[in-house]
Amino acid sequence: MGIDRESDIAANLQIGPTTLGMVRIYVEGNGVDLPLDFDPEEAREIAEEILAAAKRAEAMAKS
């Protein structure tokens, strides 16, 4: 499976701060329990990448 392929896999995604000042992205799904912690700057970079990907996806959907 690659980033460009659709999947039937379902997962829950939660995002929030930790008590240690990190940002946690928590992925839970079929046999997966994955907490990913990032410092605030890394989290901002991830957010920027998500927004950029959303803009590219919108542009692709329009064409």
Side-chain angles (χ1 to χ4, degrees):
M1 179 170 91
I3 199 162
D4 290 346
R5 295 198 181 151
E6 291 187 27
S7 170
D8 290 336
I9 298 171
N12 294 314
L13 179 68
Q14 298 177 31
I15 302 170
T18 70
T19 57
L20 299 176
M22 302 291 279
V23 175
R24 176 165 289 171
I25 297 176
Y26 184 76
V27 181
E28 179 184 30
N30 197 16
V32 176
D33 186 18
L34 185 61
L36 303 166
D37 292 345
F38 303 93
D39 66 47
E41 183 58 32
E42 289 174 311
R44 283 187 193 92
E45 290 173 7
I46 292 167
E48 290 170 2
E49 289 179 32
I50 291 171
L51 288 171
K55 288 178 184 178
R56 289 192 308 270
E58 287 174 334
M60 292 170 68
K62 290 178 183 177
S63 59

